[in-house]
Amino acid sequence: MVKSLPARSEVKIEETWNLQDLFKSEADYEAAIVELENEVDTFAEQFKGRITDPTSVIEALKGYTSIFEKMIPIGTYTSLASSVDQTNDEAQMRDNKFGSTAAKISSKLSFVNSELSELPAEVLEEAQQQSAEFKNYLDEIIRKKPFQLHPEVEKTLAAFSSTFDAPYGLYNTTKMVDMSFDDFEVNGEKYPLSYVSFEGGWESEVDTDKRRAAFDAFSAKLKDYQHTTAKTYDTHLQTEKTMSDVRGYDTVFDYLLFDQEVDRTMYDRQIDLITKELAPHMRKYAKLLQKVHGLDKMTFADLKIPLDPTYEPEITVEESRKYIDDALAIMGDDYLDMVDRSYKERWIDFAQNKGKSTGAFCSSPYGNHPYILISWTGSMEDVFVLAHELGHAGHFYNAHKEQNLFNSRPSLYFIEAPSTMNEMLMANHLLKNSNDPQFKRWVISSIVARTYYHNFVTHLLEAAYQRKVYERIDAGGSVNAGILNNLKRGVLEEFWGEDVDINEGAELTWMRQPHYYMGLYPYTYSAGLTISTQVSKRILEEGQPAVDEWLEVLKAGGTKNPAELSKMAGVDITTEQPLRDTIAYIGEMIDQLVELTEEIESVKN
């Protein structure tokens, strides 16, 4: 049974992350802000209006780098403290206050990019030759030149940055603070409900009556807030559209894909191929779930149930370390040392508490170690989630050691490849070490139900829906709750066909995902998993040489675009072949699940 969550003050300290690695005390944090603001003023005085030649370009960028190296831990500290307890007024106010401070700083520093953009390309190219350290950054300046606005306009836009970010904050406040769930009732007994307990428990509850009742109760509460959430989202969309138009992009898609360094064909291919070619495999998986669980019909509320709930091992945080160490050992001693430090030095926030952000994430502040948020439920699925987040941590742990601040972060298109790679390594390790059909079925169903379902179905269907939303916005339209519900339902019905009943409440799924406030993010999960699936197959077949190449990719950070990084790892994402191979691989795994189920049931009978 799902229990009510404790307050943050009631959880064990060893289950929480240690933010003192960023700042030992509140006084140190406040002093850092004063120091940062002073450095910004001194920098602006020294360089504003004086970035004129290659030498001053390089000197200005050195000072600019120093400022951001100080700013990152401050911003990380405020956002992480806020994310673990949205009900903590002090943490929320601190985060909001720094948002305003960051906007002022951004406005004061906007002259840097404006002055760089106004310089002739030859001056920037000469600066690149004199200092390879800033080559990538200056390449971006040259690439963005056509979309750069007048310096005063850039300064004004930068001053409004916290206002432009407001819809995302409002979305989180609505979701994590205002939205309070009542208990739901099944057969005369009441059960507690929250965002965390639904997504971390009730959604995959084996008891069909409880699972469907929880879904209905959860959806009913979402529905109460649908109009506010839709208005919040529309405000965000209109801001993006206005920015796209003001900067002179042809479409809002071009604006949002620009920083990802991929073109529209790669974006569309990911959505179109998966929507069309993965659907038959996933429908077969849905029918298998229905058969194994003896369901009267397969509904959207049933899609997250485990194939074999009797075989879901429970696991403690401490026990998870051995699984992760064994699975990731192939990555080498330095990588494993990072994993072990993440446990010992409290880089991970495991606690379940009221007001904590849902899902999981990894924050990797430059100059500091990564931080991982997860709500540990004790199921083996958590091990896959943690391996995923440690993939992000391992990526930036390596990139930050090898690259400067502005070279360390790759395109969003590539960002989910290292994380999903670790999930593949975990699955491959578990499969290699057992011949038991039930265990093998459990492992394969875990990778299908979590890794691939999450990244190739949940996030991909978000992307298909999101594309329809942006097409509407691009044509000068707006959205409200009714429109968003219809678009979401249409995407779900198209993918699942007649095999899954898209029951009432499923259309409100758009309300659950913060990714919509992060540009064209959802489709990148399937892009990253396509790359990691192909690389993990190489590692299985070729061993150490493939691992060494992958580690070089991680160390390269953002010095190459996604196609170049993938090519380093032996995958050509400029063609549709890797995606087709990955879809076929998912189909093979689902076929294996059908065969293993038949084998297990024949033994039972």
Side-chain angles (χ1 to χ4, degrees):
M1 181 180 135
V2 181
K3 294 175 185 170
S4 295
L5 295 174
R8 181 71 178 178
S9 58
E10 296 170 345
V11 301
K12 296 175 187 171
I13 195 162
E14 58 267 28
E15 293 180 0
T16 65
W17 52 30
N18 182 14
L19 295 186
Q20 288 187 329
D21 289 348
L22 290 167
F23 292 101
K24 290 269 185 268
S25 67
E26 197 71 20
D28 288 349
Y29 164 75
E30 294 291 348
I33 291 182
V34 172
E35 185 186 338
L36 173 66
E37 290 178 317
N38 289 338
E39 187 169 333
V40 168
D41 290 340
T42 304
F43 174 83
E45 215 172 282
Q46 184 180 354
F47 288 104
K48 191 170 185 181
R50 298 187 179 92
I51 306 176
T52 54
D53 57 19
T55 304
S56 56
V57 166
I58 293 164
E59 288 306 308
L61 285 176
K62 283 179 181 172
Y64 197 56
T65 303
S66 170
I67 286 170
F68 275 93
E69 285 177 348
K70 289 183 174 68
M71 194 164 167
I72 284 168
I74 298 172
T76 304
Y77 181 76
T78 64
S79 68
L80 293 186
S82 168
S83 68
V84 290
D85 189 0
Q86 301 267 346
T87 66
N88 182 331
D89 289 342
E90 188 183 331
Q92 300 308 310
M93 294 307 291
R94 187 203 294 122
D95 195 29
N96 292 340
K97 185 180 175 185
F98 179 69
S100 301
T101 303
K104 284 177 195 162
I105 290 171
S106 186
S107 182
K108 285 180 182 177
L109 296 177
S110 66
F111 75 88
V112 177
N113 285 345
S114 292
E115 290 187 25
L116 289 173
S117 296
E118 290 182 329
L119 290 173
E122 311 84 74
V123 174
L124 299 177
E125 285 160 6
E126 196 178 325
Q128 287 177 313
Q129 286 165 10
Q130 288 183 25
S131 177
E133 186 183 358
F134 300 117
K135 182 183 182 308
N136 274 28
Y137 191 82
L138 292 172
D139 275 341
E140 277 299 287
I141 294 290
I142 294 167
R143 203 164 74 91
K144 282 184 175 175
K145 258 178 171 287
F147 308 107
Q148 192 75 11
L149 302 171
H150 186 278
E152 286 304 314
V153 177
E154 291 291 352
K155 183 179 179 181
T156 304
L157 289 175
F160 273 103
S161 58
S162 63
T163 307
F164 296 150
D165 291 339
Y168 180 49
L170 182 56
Y171 165 79
N172 276 323
T173 301
T174 305
K175 175 179 172 180
M176 301 309 301
V177 182
D178 282 348
M179 210 176 281
S180 180
F181 294 85
D182 297 326
D183 293 352
F184 66 95
E185 193 172 312
V186 179
N187 298 326
E189 193 166 346
K190 290 188 173 182
Y191 301 91
L193 184 64
S194 68
Y195 236 108
V196 173
S197 70
F198 179 74
E199 294 188 344
W202 292 122
E203 197 172 25
S204 53
E205 165 65 40
V206 179
D207 185 309
T208 300
D209 289 341
K210 289 179 190 171
R211 181 179 65 253
R212 290 179 179 174
F215 180 87
D216 290 342
F218 184 75
S219 300
K221 181 54 68 175
L222 290 184
K223 195 171 185 179
D224 288 344
Y225 290 85
Q226 62 179 327
H227 300 295
T228 302
T229 308
K231 189 64 182 173
T232 301
Y233 184 37
D234 188 55
T235 304
H236 171 76
L237 294 167
Q238 300 303 335
T239 303
E240 288 180 318
K241 173 61 175 163
T242 303
M243 200 67 81
S244 166
D245 290 346
V246 165
R247 292 199 176 280
Y249 288 90
D250 290 337
T251 71
V252 72
F253 292 98
D254 295 321
Y255 167 61
L256 295 170
L257 289 170
F258 187 89
D259 285 340
Q260 292 185 20
E261 299 179 88
V262 295
D263 59 28
R264 182 76 185 268
T265 57
M266 288 170 73
Y267 166 75
D268 284 333
R269 180 202 299 143
Q270 206 71 22
I271 296 171
D272 294 339
L273 262 182
I274 296 176
T275 301
K276 183 181 171 192
E277 299 192 9
L278 182 63
H281 298 304
M282 293 311 299
R283 290 176 189 179
K284 182 189 279 190
Y285 174 69
K287 297 309 280 183
L288 178 64
L289 283 178
Q290 182 181 357
K291 182 185 170 192
V292 167
H293 286 275
L295 299 177
D296 54 335
K297 60 181 177 178
M298 191 67 190
T299 76
F300 183 81
D302 303 319
L303 286 167
K304 293 288 182 76
I305 46 176
L307 188 60
D308 188 352
T310 63
Y311 205 79
E312 178 68 38
E314 289 197 357
I315 188 161
T316 65
V317 165
E318 194 49 49
E319 287 165 346
S320 71
R321 190 190 301 204
K322 176 162 172 49
Y323 278 100
I324 286 176
D325 277 353
D326 289 349
L328 303 184
I330 194 166
M331 295 293 286
D333 291 342
D334 186 53
Y335 198 97
L336 273 196
D337 179 59
M338 185 243 4
V339 171
D340 288 337
R341 284 181 62 202
S342 73
Y343 280 89
K344 286 179 198 160
E345 297 173 18
R346 286 175 51 213
W347 298 3
I348 309 167
D349 200 273
F350 293 102
Q352 286 196 66
N353 58 263
K354 285 176 189 167
K356 185 172 177 178
S357 289
T358 58
F361 66 73
C362 176
S363 175
S364 299
Y366 191 86
N368 290 274
H369 63 71
Y371 281 90
I372 291 169
L373 178 141
I374 181 174
S375 292
W376 194 264
T377 64
S379 75
M380 189 68 179
E381 183 179 308
D382 291 343
V383 181
F384 280 99
V385 177
L386 186 52
H388 176 106
E389 299 307 335
L390 283 165
H392 287 305
H395 186 187
F396 290 106
Y397 176 81
N398 278 281
H400 289 172
K401 281 204 292 187
E402 300 290 326
Q403 307 297 337
N404 70 28
L405 171 62
F406 293 121
N407 286 357
S408 63
R409 196 166 188 84
S411 155
L412 201 59
Y413 185 93
F414 191 83
I415 218 86
E416 294 298 338
S419 52
T420 50
M421 163 63 87
N422 278 11
E423 294 189 57
M424 301 306 297
L425 293 177
M426 174 62 69
N428 291 339
H429 166 72
L430 293 173
L431 285 172
K432 196 171 68 177
N433 287 287
S434 177
N435 288 318
D436 174 14
Q438 195 169 14
F439 182 75
K440 285 180 82 167
R441 181 174 75 162
W442 174 78
V443 173
I444 296 168
S445 67
S446 292
I447 207 81
V448 168
R450 217 214 75 76
T451 304
Y452 283 107
Y453 188 100
H454 195 60
N455 300 297
F456 257 75
V457 181
T458 300
H459 290 322
L460 200 280
L461 293 182
E462 287 167 3
Y465 150 82
Q466 189 182 39
R467 183 170 63 175
K468 289 180 186 293
V469 170
Y470 277 114
E471 284 168 351
R472 187 179 178 89
I473 297 300
D474 219 32
S478 59
V479 294
N480 59 26
I483 290 165
L484 295 173
N485 289 343
N486 287 336
L487 290 176
K488 187 65 184 179
R489 175 169 284 279
V491 165
L492 294 173
E493 287 175 345
E494 182 187 354
F495 186 83
W496 292 109
E498 293 179 2
D499 295 302
V500 177
D501 180 31
I502 308 301
N503 46 316
E504 190 180 344
E507 71 281 355
L508 296 165
T509 310
W510 64 267
M511 292 178 64
R512 293 167 55 183
Q513 189 50 267
H515 289 160
Y516 300 133
Y517 296 85
M518 303 172 190
L520 299 177
Y521 187 22
Y523 91 102
T524 64
Y525 279 86
S526 62
L529 187 50
T530 299
I531 296 163
S532 60
T533 299
Q534 300 310 310
V535 178
S536 68
K537 284 162 85 173
R538 277 195 66 211
I539 288 174
L540 270 181
E541 290 159 14
E542 301 168 33
Q544 201 58 47
V547 172
D548 293 342
E549 284 181 12
W550 184 241
L551 286 169
E552 288 306 308
V553 170
L554 301 185
K555 290 173 185 174
T559 57
K560 298 181 186 300
N561 67 36
E564 291 167 338
L565 288 171
S566 303
K567 204 166 187 181
M568 281 177 72
V571 182
D572 184 1
I573 59 169
T574 62
T575 72
E576 61 182 34
Q577 201 55 50
L579 184 52
R580 286 189 180 279
D581 289 347
T582 302
I583 291 170
Y585 178 68
I586 299 170
E588 287 165 18
M589 285 198 292
I590 290 168
D591 288 342
Q592 272 184 279
L593 288 179
V594 172
E595 288 166 18
L596 285 165
T597 298
E598 287 170 357
E599 184 183 337
I600 291 162
E601 287 181 351
S602 68
V603 171
K604 281 182 189 172
N605 298 332

